[in-house]
Amino acid sequence: MTYILKPIFVLGCLLLLISSRAQTLSSLPPGGDDGYRLWLKYDLIDDVAKRQAYARAAQFIALTGSGPVLRSAAEELQTGLRGLLGKTVPIISSVGSRTGGIVLRAGAPAATPPANREGYQIAADRNTLTISSPSEAGVLYGAFALLRQMQTRQPLDGLSLASSPKVQYRMLNHWDNVDGTIERGYAGGSLWKWYELPERIDPRYRDYARANASLGINGTVINNVNASARFMTAEYLQKVAALAAVFRPYGIRVYLSVYFAAPKTLGKLKTSDPLDPEVRKWWNDKVKEIYQIIPDFGGLLVKANSEGEPGPQDYGRTHADGANMLAEAMKPYDGVVIWRAFVYKADPKADRFRAAHEEFTPLDGQFDPKVIVQVKNGPIDFQPREPFSPLFGSMPKTPLGMEFQLTQEYLGFATHLVYEAPLFKECLDADTYASGKGSTVARVIDGSLHGYRTDGPSRTLMAGVANTGSNLNWTGHPMAQANWYAFGRLAWDHTLSAEAIAREWIGMTLTHNPQATSRIANLMLRSRDIYVDYNTPMGLSRPWTGVHFAPEPWQARSPRPDWTAVYYHRADSVGVGFDRTATGSNALAQYRPEVQQQWNDPETCPLPYLLWFHHVPWTKKLSTGRTLWDELCNRFYTGADSVRWMQQEWAAVKPALDPALHADVAARLVTQHREAIWWRDAWVLYLQTFAKQPIPAPFKKPERTLDDVKQSVETYLLR
Amino acid sequence: MTYILKPIFVLGCLLLLISSRAQTLSSLPPGGDDGYRLWLKYDLIDDVAKRQAYARAAQFIALTGSGPVLRSAAEELQTGLRGLLGKTVPIISSVGSRTGGIVLRAGAPAATPPANREGYQIAADRNTLTISSPSEAGVLYGAFALLRQMQTRQPLDGLSLASSPKVQYRMLNHWDNVDGTIERGYAGGSLWKWYELPERIDPRYRDYARANASLGINGTVINNVNASARFMTAEYLQKVAALAAVFRPYGIRVYLSVYFAAPKTLGKLKTSDPLDPEVRKWWNDKVKEIYQIIPDFGGLLVKANSEGEPGPQDYGRTHADGANMLAEAMKPYDGVVIWRAFVYKADPKADRFRAAHEEFTPLDGQFDPKVIVQVKNGPIDFQPREPFSPLFGSMPKTPLGMEFQLTQEYLGFATHLVYEAPLFKECLDADTYASGKGSTVARVIDGSLHGYRTDGPSRTLMAGVANTGSNLNWTGHPMAQANWYAFGRLAWDHTLSAEAIAREWIGMTLTHNPQATSRIANLMLRSRDIYVDYNTPMGLSRPWTGVHFAPEPWQARSPRPDWTAVYYHRADSVGVGFDRTATGSNALAQYRPEVQQQWNDPETCPLPYLLWFHHVPWTKKLSTGRTLWDELCNRFYTGADSVRWMQQEWAAVKPALDPALHADVAARLVTQHREAIWWRDAWVLYLQTFAKQPIPAPFKKPERTLDDVKQSVETYLLR
């Protein structure tokens, strides 16, 4: 019966859609707000008084200097003001005695010089707004900050803003392949059209740069860390150079992921041993070639001896040997080597949690000053909730960069609404106790804890694995634009709150209605915990099928033990969870005593982390008063039910939003609810085979059997 | 499930309704014409007199009947007229005594009823334009035809148009995969967002349907012929049903490619043997399920025992056994089974050219009436120029459908401008002599030659392997839109000329300037021969690397002999070309004597086909007065030089075109020229190692060596 009903419903509504839509369409445009403009929407400000106030303060844009980045700053201001104010504000080269405009000044000594060359200051002096910075890029960031003031309807009178980035390398990592696909991409194909480059320049390249610059992102690694050696060929470097030329006026430098075995496969050498003189020469020559083609090339990102990728260990060398070889090649240039710490071994007796710490802490102090070690936020792999990586705080002599994942590999692809800022903040605000209380991960990353100083500038880095793609709206899920936005804002200033960023983004992207803004912000702030509840509550992890879409907690066969689901949750007749205390893998010992204390005792370990560190009996009474089994069921069910709440909240803000955009998100919430129930059912039915207990009241037992769920999951395993 | 799903779909409907209040595409602006509107551009007609004349004839749209397709016709007219005339023409339900408008009439007996239910008639009776057809779809096609008249600025006074499709099944084949990639796609990712369906409906689905309907395309196979069994699951059929619901009001039916081994992998049966009762029952049940979910499902497309795909031969059965099993399952329904004849064996002694004819002609007469055998235009595989497949005219008792390839797998991906209509026409107009002179391939396809009659309607089919993708402009190369357009127009009426279609498309898409139109039309009409000259002149074929991008005529190692390049061109110290006469593979014997006569004698064989059928000595004097070697060099060099001419022609039309669109094509022409020289150099330097002769004057020898070229090609073989 339902099989027949469903298409009829869809048919019915489609007919209505078409008949009502055709009245308003002129040929083939996508309906409504297509999301292409991201947060750089400059719709006319409808509040006339406010518009006029802004217009009085922005009668001209005075530009002293002619650098391309400064030029971008002036043009971005002009573009934004044209939309917001409905008039074209002239760009003038000399301000003379004129007042009532915006003055852009790069390199000029500010009253209080910013902490960082890229910092900016916006000062209202009588009737003139001056945006100043030691660098052109700083002025560009200031220009976007001023536009943000107007986009969020802030007053400009007596405006005094000063801001400096807390991290030097603020970058996106694109896992984009040469064939136009994106590893873990859920928003279409790659933005980079390799077969069309270098001659044809897609207009999106520039829009991509504008969006990043508006957040202060100043670097982009354009190819997958599982790297193709093609990017080291002269032919592809020309294509990369064409992209670099588009990004340059926006203060963005291009980086490349490298294939460590390139000396053999591309250079035709007998080895890629980092201590081999010919290999070192090959890399020296290659890097020289790169800088001849791209003078402001940013640097190299390396995934080595990880998940089958080649690396120095293939030759009995260390990660430091490999990284330092590349650093030597980079020595003559202003570029860095970013070496990923994402490593683990296929050892059934080992605990993957421990791997990176075991391999890298012994190398602390051995890395060349040009090397930054890039560490994922958690010890495993971008799970919905992980404890912070024990590497943070454990390598005081090595600059550690942060790697967050924006693309929703484990967060529901493009159909689950998950605002990631709370996840980022949770990690950044975590205390490593490396130098006593207050030694947060953020202070490791921004260098203030260990005071990283090297031959040159401070090597501080925050990277986000991009969620961008060729879909018209860039990120697949319209709300995922907020994750790109939040990452960029936090890379600039990790002290911003998840809520402040959400409200800012909503104002620039969705609505200016205060009630709707509060409702949407609340929805966003709760979304990640809701996802965790129905997906991997209390420290469960990696229950995914190979494609990381469907639930498969029963998955026990794989070429590698650490690629099964049972390896992680360890469910048995007694209980569930991974004992990482002294009685187990003792991974906890990788943390400082103060941190161990928080998590060591199952009685006091916060429930969100409980099963990360303890194998807990099903019948164990928890601080909530419920047994573990009941608590798990409670979270799976309330998590799934909460998606209904999200739907209701979203329905309530409909009048304040663009209809097409609202409908898009609403439809995805329907999918999210269907899939949340799927996850809930998969987990409770599977865990029930061990716990041997009923689903606690008031929850109804799933309407399908475990076999039903397994069969539905098999769909995603079919060729 | 039932209880949950129904409200979900109701909600989905409401949301879709909301999304229908559309605005126009706004930007972080790509700037200029982004190509999204394809040929359905309805910009205001600037010629006021003409606009007023059209307006006088279109004061209302009278709609009698309420069918969804008829409704689409009225709305498409209204949408088009709103743009062209700048006013909203009302849709009225009864014309009464009013004149001066457009009347849509479906099912009404026309003065001269069209040959086909989908045919239409447009008649100007005094002051009223009546679009009539036996079917609603026919009226929709007539509505687009009327708009086309205005888009190309034709007069409407005394207009009398009557047209009927010559082929019943006019369809696109999408080689789209479940993971969002497209096999041989060069315009981004798949249009179908499987993880978002069925709930979220991308506005592009409808725009895709509108574009196809405007050409008379009435079917679409949405998944790759290398098919995933996922599409046979209930979960995916719901997603397919959601697409079908979007396409239905545009007269387009959905078809699916099937994985022949699905009974085993999905149905868990021991076999997929087409004569096994359980297997037959599984397919019967599966097809029944499909029709419960998609009542107007179009049918199944099968690639079996081809390039490693499973098929009936795995069980010692024939293609007919496999096709007839599926036909039996389809018997209760108005759907067809489309069985591909693209088969060949990995036999070094065999000639792949002969394979399809050898396997299929013995089966003529054994196929169920519901089966159509789909044959690629040529005997090998979509080469830039091939003789027509010898199957055409050789299976009089079996409906043969045509498979053309729109996506430019062997025609330069998205960077070479190749207008394909001349290629299509060359095949359609070729004479098989199956029933004497005039037995063209077109007459095989349209059924007029063998008069296909079956249990029901005439089984005539023309399919185009789609060149669409998620890129904003749909087809990657803006000019490739013309290939989609031309295929659709020829599937409707194969008697249209390539030039007429080009001029029509240019007028609707690029410009109304007469000089520019002639220049661009000429450029398009010459483009395919130019490509053949620098890529594979005189019957050379398949010199491609694995990805089918780079030249690799020297490629001699492969898991299969018929997947090497040398297998095809047979270059040696004596000469080059594949002897397919009696002294060779004798593939020529598969053609009628009159055809053999054209190609049998190297003295008289037209040069474009020479090396398809003959191994010709390098020193052989040709009809051009040049030796083979000199003639080949002449074509490679003039072909590459002709791309320069294309650039000049394109530069000359700049004032008449949208700047962004013009710049896009201009940039791709630069790439095309670079790659044309690459192809030229690869071939002449490689063939020179056999011919041992210099590059003839006035051509200069390539500036690079064969090793240089090989090295540049290796880039595309690197991981």
Side-chain angles (χ1 to χ4, degrees):
Chain A
M1 203 48 189
T2 40
Y3 279 155
I4 296 157
L5 277 171
K6 280 180 277 178
I8 287 170
F9 277 116
V10 177
L11 169 59
C13 64
L14 257 303
L15 296 178
L16 289 163
L17 161 64
I18 284 148
S19 47
S20 46
R21 191 208 227 118
Q23 310 303 325
T24 55
L25 275 194
S26 74
S27 61
L28 280 175
D33 186 338
D34 54 50
Y36 185 85
R37 296 177 303 165
L38 296 162
W39 48 86
L40 297 183
K41 289 174 182 160
Y42 298 121
D43 296 327
L44 188 71
I45 295 169
D46 41 23
D47 177 337
V48 178
K50 185 152 271 172
R51 196 165 75 227
Q52 287 169 343
Y54 289 160
R56 274 193 301 277
Q59 296 167 47
F60 60 84
I61 301 161
L63 179 60
T64 53
S66 62
V69 179
L70 205 54
R71 186 84 214 161
S72 296
E75 283 163 2
E76 288 301 320
L77 271 173
Q78 191 177 49
T79 301
L81 293 170
R82 186 181 297 113
L84 293 165
L85 309 180
K87 61 198 270 287
T88 299
V89 178
I91 298 175
I92 61 175
S93 54
S94 120
V95 59
S97 61
R98 289 185 64 175
T99 64
I102 302 162
V103 177
L104 307 182
R105 189 167 286 134
T112 55
N116 179 305
R117 275 188 53 75
E118 291 179 299
Y120 61 83
Q121 199 171 42
I122 305 177
D125 171 15
R126 267 173 290 96
N127 215 350
T128 298
L129 279 166
T130 302
I131 304 175
S132 59
S133 169
S135 68
E136 293 190 15
V139 175
L140 177 61
Y141 302 141
F144 278 114
L146 180 59
L147 285 168
R148 192 157 55 229
Q149 289 288 308
M150 294 185 251
Q151 286 176 280
T152 53
R153 308 297 189 256
Q154 307 301 311
L156 301 184
D157 330 321
L159 181 65
S160 174
L161 278 179
S163 183
S164 285
K166 294 195 158 37
V167 166
Q168 184 188 0
Y169 299 94
R170 308 174 298 276
M171 50 177 39
L172 291 183
N173 289 184
H174 289 273
W175 289 356
D176 292 23
N177 302 314
V178 279
D179 65 1
T181 61
I182 302 176
E183 185 169 340
R184 313 309 178 185
Y186 313 107
S190 175
L191 291 170
W192 325 129
K193 307 205 162 91
W194 296 116
Y195 286 112
E196 300 174 10
L197 286 163
E199 288 89 2
R200 195 238 161 193
I201 304 300
D202 191 316
R204 283 190 90 150
Y205 301 154
R206 180 167 168 274
D207 291 332
Y208 164 86
R210 296 178 60 216
N212 281 323
S214 74
L215 304 173
I217 290 172
N218 62 2
T220 181
V221 186
I222 57 178
N223 65 313
N224 193 349
V225 289
N226 297 319
S228 164
R230 276 197 209 180
F231 290 98
M232 292 290 122
T233 63
E235 181 160 359
Y236 270 70
L237 287 172
Q238 292 299 340
K239 299 170 185 282
V240 174
L243 285 179
V246 178
F247 301 160
R248 191 171 292 116
Y250 294 91
I252 295 167
R253 295 169 69 180
V254 164
Y255 298 67
L256 285 171
S257 299
V258 298
Y259 181 57
F260 196 82
K264 271 178 81 169
T265 62
L266 179 58
K268 302 289 195 303
L269 300 185
K270 273 179 234 62
T271 175
S272 295
D273 180 349
L275 298 194
D276 180 278
E278 278 190 71
V279 172
R280 299 176 84 86
K281 179 178 187 318
W282 188 88
W283 281 112
N284 286 350
D285 295 345
K286 181 54 65 179
V287 168
K288 184 177 178 192
E289 179 189 0
I290 294 174
Y291 275 92
Q292 279 166 347
I293 298 172
I294 309 165
D296 61 347
F297 181 69
L300 307 171
L301 174 64
V302 188
K303 175 180 181 178
N305 294 121
S306 171
E307 298 181 330
E309 289 301 299
Q313 294 177 342
D314 304 345
Y315 307 96
R317 315 303 184 186
T318 69
H319 287 289
D321 294 329
N324 294 346
M325 168 192 66
L326 295 175
E328 177 188 273
M330 297 290 286
K331 203 160 213 62
Y333 313 102
D334 173 28
V336 290
V337 174
I338 306 165
W339 195 271
R340 292 175 89 232
F342 178 64
V343 297
Y344 57 102
K345 299 244 184 318
D347 173 359
K349 280 178 231 61
D351 176 4
R352 172 175 172 178
F353 190 114
R354 299 174 54 98
H357 187 279
E358 285 173 344
E359 279 198 46
F360 277 83
T361 49
L363 302 175
D364 190 30
Q366 296 181 29
F367 288 98
D368 181 282
K370 267 182 166 311
V371 177
I372 301 172
V373 172
Q374 183 167 296
V375 182
K376 289 186 179 184
N377 57 289
I380 302 292
D381 186 13
F382 298 136
Q383 295 304 286
R385 173 172 274 120
E386 290 192 48
F388 67 89
S389 167
L391 273 174
F392 296 119
S394 301
M395 295 184 71
K397 303 200 206 72
T398 309
L400 298 186
M402 172 65 76
E403 180 175 313
F404 285 127
Q405 188 180 48
L406 313 186
T407 188
Q408 294 175 238
E409 176 178 3
Y410 297 103
L411 293 172
F413 286 17
T415 53
H416 294 237
L417 195 169
V418 180
Y419 176 52
E420 295 167 343
L423 185 161
F424 303 153
K425 290 289 287 185
E426 191 171 272
C427 177
L428 291 166
D429 294 346
D431 198 337
T432 68
Y433 290 90
S435 309
K437 191 158 181 35
S439 306
T440 61
V441 170
R443 295 192 52 227
V444 174
I445 298 307
D446 71 16
S448 62
L449 187 67
H450 303 313
Y452 303 141
R453 297 300 304 179
T454 66
D455 59 341
S458 160
R459 304 288 187 205
T460 57
L461 176 147
M462 206 183 291
V465 179
N467 60 356
T468 52
S470 62
N471 284 4
L472 198 50
N473 74 358
W474 301 86
T475 57
H477 200 308
M479 300 296 281
Q481 294 181 353
N483 294 330
W484 180 6
Y485 184 88
F487 166 77
R489 296 288 285 138
L490 286 171
W492 178 275
D493 180 0
H494 56 68
T495 68
L496 295 170
S497 77
E499 176 170 6
I501 295 170
R503 287 178 166 277
E504 199 176 79
W505 176 80
I506 293 165
M508 296 169 77
T509 312
L510 298 180
T511 181
H512 295 288
N513 175 296
Q515 292 74 23
T517 300
S518 297
R519 256 200 149 102
I520 298 168
N522 179 44
L523 174 70
M524 290 168 70
L525 290 165
R526 286 188 55 184
S527 61
R528 184 267 193 133
D529 281 338
I530 289 169
Y531 181 88
V532 169
D533 279 346
Y534 64 71
N535 180 277
T536 46
M538 297 172 71
L540 293 173
S541 67
R542 293 191 61 88
W544 277 273
T545 54
V547 292
H548 298 177
F549 172 71
E552 202 181 17
W554 48 82
Q555 190 248 355
R557 258 169 302 131
S558 161
R560 292 176 57 151
D562 51 346
W563 286 352
T564 66
V566 297
Y567 173 100
Y568 294 93
H569 60 66
R570 312 256 156 149
D572 58 29
S573 57
V574 177
V576 64
F578 199 128
D579 181 1
R580 294 190 164 100
T581 66
T583 60
S585 76
N586 205 22
L588 254 174
Q590 295 181 332
Y591 292 97
R592 289 290 197 293
E594 297 89 335
V595 180
Q596 294 181 38
Q597 208 168 39
Q598 295 170 15
W599 294 331
N600 214 354
D601 180 354
E603 300 298 331
T604 55
C605 178
L607 296 187
Y609 297 97
L610 184 63
L611 304 180
W612 271 110
F613 298 107
H614 303 280
H615 189 72
V616 181
W618 299 110
T619 54
K620 164 91 178 165
K621 260 270 190 326
L622 305 179
S623 54
T624 58
R626 300 188 190 90
T627 64
L628 174 65
W629 167 253
D630 288 357
E631 184 63 34
L632 280 169
C633 290
N634 185 67
R635 294 190 182 221
F636 283 119
Y637 275 81
T638 52
D641 292 345
S642 299
V643 180
R644 271 270 196 242
W645 168 82
M646 292 169 78
Q647 292 175 337
Q648 288 153 10
E649 289 299 295
W650 190 253
V653 300
K654 187 180 84 193
L657 267 59
D658 172 86
L661 197 149
H662 185 274
D664 185 339
V665 173
R668 292 175 201 263
L669 283 168
V670 176
T671 309
Q672 182 176 351
H673 185 248
R674 178 167 53 83
E675 293 177 352
I677 291 168
W678 191 37
W679 276 93
R680 178 198 74 190
D681 291 354
W683 267 119
V684 300
L685 291 169
Y686 168 70
L687 293 180
Q688 197 172 35
T689 63
F690 299 99
K692 306 252 188 287
Q693 294 184 55
I695 305 295
F699 308 117
K700 289 203 207 63
K701 74 189 234 318
E703 289 164 12
R704 53 189 150 189
T705 66
L706 181 56
D707 282 346
D708 295 338
V709 183
K710 285 183 174 178
Q711 204 186 333
S712 69
V713 168
E714 273 175 24
T715 294
Y716 295 90
L717 305 172
L718 285 169
R719 123 145 195 189
Chain B
M1 289 290 283
T2 311
Y3 182 80
I4 295 160
L5 276 167
K6 274 190 256 172
I8 283 178
F9 276 84
V10 177
L11 176 56
C13 298
L14 298 172
L15 299 171
L16 286 166
L17 272 173
I18 292 153
S19 78
S20 65
R21 263 174 276 112
Q23 306 165 358
T24 51
L25 173 68
S26 41
S27 56
L28 202 88
D33 187 338
D34 57 35
Y36 185 86
R37 296 179 303 165
L38 295 162
W39 48 85
L40 297 184
K41 288 173 183 164
Y42 298 122
D43 296 326
L44 188 71
I45 295 169
D46 41 23
D47 177 337
V48 179
K50 185 152 271 171
R51 196 165 75 228
Q52 287 169 342
Y54 289 161
R56 275 193 301 276
Q59 296 167 46
F60 60 84
I61 300 161
L63 179 60
T64 53
S66 62
V69 179
L70 203 55
R71 184 85 205 160
S72 296
E75 282 156 2
E76 289 301 321
L77 270 174
Q78 190 179 51
T79 299
L81 293 170
R82 183 184 297 106
L84 294 164
L85 309 181
K87 61 199 271 285
T88 298
V89 178
I91 298 174
I92 61 176
S93 54
S94 120
V95 59
S97 62
R98 289 185 63 178
T99 63
I102 302 163
V103 177
L104 307 182
R105 189 167 286 134
T112 56
N116 180 304
R117 275 189 52 76
E118 291 179 299
Y120 61 83
Q121 199 171 43
I122 304 177
D125 170 14
R126 265 173 289 94
N127 215 348
T128 298
L129 279 166
T130 302
I131 303 175
S132 59
S133 169
S135 68
E136 292 191 15
V139 176
L140 177 61
Y141 302 141
F144 277 115
L146 179 60
L147 285 167
R148 192 157 53 229
Q149 289 288 309
M150 293 184 252
Q151 286 177 279
T152 53
R153 308 296 189 258
Q154 307 300 311
L156 300 184
D157 330 320
L159 180 65
S160 175
L161 279 179
S163 183
S164 285
K166 294 194 159 39
V167 166
Q168 184 187 2
Y169 299 93
R170 307 173 299 276
M171 49 176 36
L172 290 183
N173 289 183
H174 289 274
W175 289 356
D176 291 23
N177 302 314
V178 277
D179 65 1
T181 60
I182 303 178
E183 184 169 340
R184 313 307 178 186
Y186 313 107
S190 175
L191 291 170
W192 325 130
K193 306 204 164 90
W194 296 116
Y195 286 111
E196 301 175 10
L197 288 163
E199 289 89 359
R200 194 236 161 196
I201 303 300
D202 191 318
R204 285 189 87 152
Y205 301 154
R206 179 170 169 270
D207 291 332
Y208 164 86
R210 298 178 61 212
N212 281 324
S214 74
L215 305 173
I217 290 172
N218 62 1
T220 181
V221 186
I222 57 178
N223 65 314
N224 193 350
V225 289
N226 297 319
S228 164
R230 276 196 208 181
F231 289 99
M232 292 290 120
T233 64
E235 181 161 0
Y236 270 69
L237 287 172
Q238 292 300 336
K239 299 170 185 282
V240 175
L243 285 179
V246 181
F247 302 159
R248 190 171 291 115
Y250 292 91
I252 295 168
R253 295 168 70 179
V254 164
Y255 298 67
L256 285 171
S257 299
V258 298
Y259 181 58
F260 197 81
K264 272 178 82 169
T265 62
L266 179 57
K268 302 289 194 304
L269 300 185
K270 273 180 235 60
T271 175
S272 295
D273 180 347
L275 299 194
D276 180 279
E278 279 190 73
V279 172
R280 300 176 83 86
K281 180 178 189 315
W282 188 88
W283 281 113
N284 286 349
D285 295 346
K286 180 55 65 180
V287 168
K288 183 179 179 192
E289 179 189 358
I290 293 174
Y291 275 92
Q292 280 170 343
I293 299 171
I294 309 166
D296 61 348
F297 181 69
L300 307 171
L301 175 64
V302 188
K303 175 181 181 178
N305 294 119
S306 171
E307 299 180 329
E309 290 300 299
Q313 295 177 341
D314 304 345
Y315 307 96
R317 315 302 185 188
T318 69
H319 287 289
D321 294 329
N324 294 345
M325 167 191 68
L326 295 174
E328 177 189 272
M330 296 290 286
K331 203 160 211 60
Y333 312 102
D334 173 28
V336 290
V337 174
I338 306 166
W339 196 271
R340 292 175 90 232
F342 178 64
V343 298
Y344 56 101
K345 299 248 186 311
D347 175 358
K349 281 180 229 61
D351 176 2
R352 173 174 171 179
F353 190 114
R354 298 173 54 99
H357 188 279
E358 285 173 346
E359 279 199 45
F360 278 83
T361 50
L363 303 174
D364 190 29
Q366 296 181 27
F367 288 98
D368 181 282
K370 269 183 166 307
V371 177
I372 301 172
V373 172
Q374 184 167 297
V375 182
K376 289 186 179 183
N377 57 290
I380 301 293
D381 187 13
F382 297 137
Q383 295 303 286
R385 172 173 276 120
E386 288 192 49
F388 68 90
S389 167
L391 273 174
F392 296 119
S394 301
M395 295 184 71
K397 304 201 205 70
T398 310
L400 298 187
M402 172 63 75
E403 179 175 314
F404 284 128
Q405 187 180 49
L406 314 186
T407 188
Q408 294 175 238
E409 176 179 2
Y410 297 103
L411 292 173
F413 287 16
T415 53
H416 293 237
L417 194 169
V418 180
Y419 176 52
E420 296 167 342
L423 185 161
F424 303 154
K425 290 288 288 186
E426 191 172 272
C427 177
L428 291 166
D429 295 346
D431 198 337
T432 69
Y433 289 91
S435 310
K437 193 159 179 29
S439 306
T440 61
V441 170
R443 295 192 53 225
V444 174
I445 298 307
D446 71 16
S448 62
L449 187 66
H450 302 313
Y452 303 139
R453 297 300 305 179
T454 67
D455 57 342
S458 160
R459 302 288 186 205
T460 57
L461 175 147
M462 206 183 292
V465 179
N467 60 356
T468 52
S470 62
N471 285 3
L472 196 50
N473 75 357
W474 300 87
T475 57
H477 199 308
M479 300 295 282
Q481 294 182 354
N483 294 330
W484 181 5
Y485 185 89
F487 166 76
R489 297 288 284 137
L490 286 171
W492 179 275
D493 181 359
H494 56 69
T495 68
L496 294 170
S497 77
E499 177 171 4
I501 296 170
R503 288 179 167 276
E504 199 176 79
W505 176 79
I506 293 165
M508 297 168 78
T509 312
L510 299 180
T511 181
H512 295 290
N513 174 299
Q515 293 74 24
T517 300
S518 297
R519 257 200 148 100
I520 298 168
N522 179 43
L523 175 69
M524 290 168 70
L525 290 166
R526 286 189 55 183
S527 61
R528 184 269 193 132
D529 281 336
I530 289 169
Y531 181 87
V532 169
D533 279 346
Y534 65 69
N535 181 276
T536 45
M538 297 172 71
L540 293 172
S541 69
R542 293 191 62 88
W544 277 272
T545 54
V547 291
H548 297 178
F549 172 71
E552 203 181 16
W554 47 82
Q555 191 247 356
R557 257 170 301 130
S558 161
R560 291 176 57 150
D562 51 346
W563 287 351
T564 65
V566 297
Y567 173 100
Y568 295 92
H569 60 65
R570 311 258 157 148
D572 57 30
S573 58
V574 178
V576 64
F578 199 128
D579 181 1
R580 293 189 165 103
T581 66
T583 60
S585 76
N586 205 20
L588 253 174
Q590 295 181 333
Y591 292 98
R592 289 290 195 292
E594 298 89 334
V595 180
Q596 294 181 39
Q597 208 168 38
Q598 295 168 15
W599 294 331
N600 214 352
D601 179 357
E603 299 300 330
T604 56
C605 178
L607 296 187
Y609 297 98
L610 183 62
L611 305 180
W612 271 110
F613 298 108
H614 304 281
H615 189 71
V616 181
W618 299 110
T619 53
K620 163 94 180 168
K621 259 274 196 311
L622 305 179
S623 54
T624 58
R626 300 188 191 90
T627 64
L628 174 65
W629 167 252
D630 288 357
E631 184 63 35
L632 280 169
C633 290
N634 186 66
R635 296 194 180 217
F636 282 120
Y637 275 81
T638 53
D641 292 346
S642 299
V643 180
R644 270 262 188 260
W645 169 81
M646 292 169 78
Q647 291 175 331
Q648 289 154 9
E649 290 298 294
W650 189 252
V653 300
K654 185 173 180 186
L657 267 60
D658 173 87
L661 197 149
H662 185 274
D664 185 339
V665 173
R668 292 176 201 262
L669 283 168
V670 176
T671 308
Q672 183 176 352
H673 185 249
R674 177 168 54 80
E675 293 176 353
I677 292 169
W678 191 36
W679 276 93
R680 178 199 73 190
D681 292 354
W683 267 118
V684 299
L685 290 170
Y686 168 69
L687 293 180
Q688 197 173 35
T689 63
F690 299 100
K692 305 254 190 289
Q693 294 184 55
I695 306 295
F699 308 118
K700 290 201 205 64
K701 75 189 229 323
E703 287 157 10
R704 51 189 151 190
T705 67
L706 181 56
D707 283 345
D708 295 338
V709 183
K710 286 183 174 177
Q711 203 184 335
S712 70
V713 168
E714 273 176 24
T715 294
Y716 297 90
L717 305 172
L718 286 167
R719 120 139 198 193

